Amino acid sequence: MNHKGMTVRKLTELSLLTALALIIFIVELRLPDLSPVQGVKLGLANIVTVYALYRFRAGEVFLIVTARVILGSLFSGNFCSLIYSISGAFLCLSGMIPLRKIIPENYIWLCSIAGAILHNTGQIITAVILMKTISVIAYYPVLIFSGCIAGAFTGICTQLVIKRLR
């Protein structure tokens, strides 16, 4: 065990989950767009995030998500998306971490939907700040609608994964 209490087993689990999330992210990049609206995607790597949220401590989930976002940006070659992804991911986590205490595991899909909404909200706030225009808010309803669908889908997938792993 190291000085912060993380065992080799825990570090290995976190590393494997990070690698799995990154692989899913890269595979999803290769899939054709599901929507004509740019930026709308399922976010399948979030299955790993939501799973980890209910299995590990907040700091450990933060490490998984941070590594996935940074490495995903590097591997995809899309450095411009890093600021949007990181702001969305951190707002998402800041909301989902307290929600996991009140939303039971059998309703994990609700936490996933909330996370998707928060992720899209973080991205819109970042766009308003970077683009110095409020007009991008017109895009927000589309992101919220698609985020609810994607969040429900990834949440249901997470519930199936948890059930299967038992």
Side-chain angles (χ1 to χ4, degrees):
M1 192 178 305
N2 69 19
H3 69 286
K4 294 192 179 190
M6 189 175 297
T7 63
V8 172
R9 178 182 170 87
K10 175 77 64 102
L11 184 59
T12 302
E13 286 180 54
L14 297 175
S15 299
L16 287 171
L17 287 173
T18 302
L20 179 60
L22 192 55
I23 290 165
I24 293 169
F25 172 79
I26 291 169
V27 168
E28 187 176 7
L29 282 177
R30 306 295 179 248
L31 298 175
D33 290 334
L34 299 172
S35 167
V37 180
Q38 184 181 7
V40 172
K41 61 182 195 157
L42 280 175
L44 296 173
N46 292 319
I47 295 168
V48 175
T49 302
V50 178
Y51 168 79
L53 186 72
Y54 277 78
R55 177 117 201 284
F56 297 101
R57 293 180 304 177
E60 295 164 345
V61 179
F62 177 80
L63 289 173
I64 291 171
V65 170
T66 302
R68 187 204 65 199
V69 169
I70 292 170
L71 291 172
S73 176
L74 283 170
F75 291 166
S76 69
N78 192 354
F79 301 108
C80 297
S81 71
L82 180 61
I83 189 74
Y84 291 99
S85 296
I86 210 93
S87 61
F90 289 169
L91 187 58
C92 170
L93 280 179
S94 70
M96 287 175 63
I97 288 168
L99 280 176
R100 73 178 176 183
K101 295 179 190 305
I102 58 174
I103 297 176
E105 198 174 272
N106 57 330
Y107 291 101
I108 203 168
W109 57 274
L110 287 173
C111 192
S112 184
I113 291 171
I117 291 169
L118 288 167
H119 189 276
N120 290 334
T121 301
Q123 289 181 317
I124 286 292
I125 291 169
T126 301
V128 167
I129 292 168
L130 292 179
M131 296 177 172
K132 297 181 175 122
T133 179
I134 201 150
S135 65
V136 294
I137 290 180
Y139 192 48
Y140 191 57
V142 173
L143 286 179
I144 293 302
F145 178 74
S146 63
C148 286
I149 293 169
F153 180 77
T154 57
I156 290 167
C157 288
T158 304
Q159 276 187 273
L160 294 172
V161 166
I162 288 170
K163 186 183 277 187
R164 192 82 157 135
L165 290 176
R166 285 196 180 127

